Amino acid sequence: MKVNQAEFVISAVGPSQYPDDALPEIALAGRSNVGKSSLINRMINRKNLARTSSTPGKTQHLNYYRINEDLYFVDFPGYGYAKVSKTQRQAWGGMIEKYLLERETLRLILLIIDLRHPPSKDDELMYDWLKHHDLPVCVVATKADKIPKSRWQKHMKIIRDALVLRAGDQLMLFSSEAGIGRDELWEQINSFIEDGAEQQEEDNL
């Protein structure tokens, strides 16, 4: 996809603040510091629209980024960061669960995992929860540039096995630094948006 326009819209804390223009939404979930903001910046070819932080857990809302007036990226708070209070984690969890189960414009969840490391228990729990609720998910293994290409498949297999990746779910390589996987990920996103539009048309008949 050629991105002509991208803008930060809102840090939302609940449904009353979510955009109401019915554009498709692509959610990004993953542990703190896994590179969600960097992925967004690479996907839209902008350096600093999504603000990256060296402080894990800084994203505490659902951050909405509108792309080409066509769709939103919705960046979730990172999970698995110990210094965030239990009360705060519960609040995030409730907000995210409600969004995932009730947001009609949600088309796909990108579960972001660091290719260099096996999935964490939180990654496994998130994937299992998404599949339990039959939600569309694509696993994106970031930071591919940090390990030799000859070891990519080995690390991909570790991720597949740890998550017990379901048939039909994609596992995609990505590098925000090198741009690896950008075009392929846009193709995946667009296919889910198109499928969602077709389903909506059928529902309206």
Side-chain angles (χ1 to χ4, degrees):
M1 173 184 283
K2 184 177 181 181
V3 177
N4 298 311
Q5 184 181 11
E7 61 180 330
F8 171 75
V9 176
I10 192 172
S11 287
V13 296
S16 65
Q17 294 184 311
Y18 299 163
D20 59 3
D21 50 14
L23 292 179
E25 297 178 8
I26 308 298
L28 292 89
R31 66 174 179 78
S32 296
N33 264 16
V34 77
K36 293 189 276 78
S37 296
S38 296
L39 183 146
I40 290 171
N41 287 330
R42 168 57 75 172
M43 291 296 285
I44 62 179
N45 285 329
R46 295 271 291 277
K47 285 187 176 179
N48 297 307
L49 182 64
R51 287 160 289 184
T52 59
S53 173
S54 58
T55 306
K58 189 171 182 182
T59 299
Q60 299 183 15
H61 311 98
L62 300 188
N63 287 336
Y64 270 83
Y65 301 89
R66 186 165 51 222
I67 317 299
N68 282 358
E69 304 291 337
D70 292 329
L71 72 146
Y72 289 101
F73 284 141
V74 186
D75 188 14
F76 284 5
Y79 52 72
Y81 186 52
K83 288 188 179 180
V84 175
S85 72
K86 184 177 181 181
T87 302
Q88 183 67 70
R89 285 199 301 272
Q90 289 174 340
W92 291 352
M95 174 176 63
I96 290 169
E97 182 173 321
K98 186 176 179 65
Y99 170 89
L100 289 169
L101 294 178
E102 299 179 8
R103 188 65 172 161
E104 292 183 0
T105 49
L106 176 64
R107 293 291 174 263
L108 177 66
I109 301 103
L110 303 180
L111 180 57
I112 315 300
I113 293 176
D114 190 330
L115 180 64
R116 300 172 298 177
H117 309 296
S120 68
K121 288 297 179 186
D122 288 319
D123 293 325
E124 294 174 18
L125 287 170
M126 174 60 87
Y127 182 72
D128 286 344
W129 189 91
L130 293 171
K131 298 317 298 180
H132 174 76
H133 292 284
D134 199 27
L135 291 165
V137 58
C138 173
V139 181
V140 184
T142 60
K143 308 192 181 186
D145 60 294
K146 304 298 185 186
I147 61 173
K149 190 174 181 179
S150 60
R151 290 167 53 194
W152 284 355
Q153 291 307 314
K154 175 186 175 184
H155 285 253
M156 296 274 274
K157 185 178 187 303
I158 290 170
I159 292 173
R160 281 194 194 93
D161 291 348
L163 296 180
V164 193
L165 201 71
R166 277 50 159 194
D169 284 347
Q170 293 291 319
L171 171 58
M172 309 189 73
L173 277 168
F174 196 87
S175 167
S176 300
E177 290 288 330
I180 297 164
R182 177 184 182 272
D183 292 343
E184 291 82 359
L185 186 53
W186 268 125
E187 287 180 13
Q188 184 78 355
I189 289 169
N190 287 331
S191 71
F192 274 87
I193 289 174
E194 289 167 6
D195 288 347
E198 290 174 4
Q199 184 62 52
Q200 204 163 35
E201 285 182 12
E202 290 178 11
D203 293 343
N204 291 335
L205 290 177

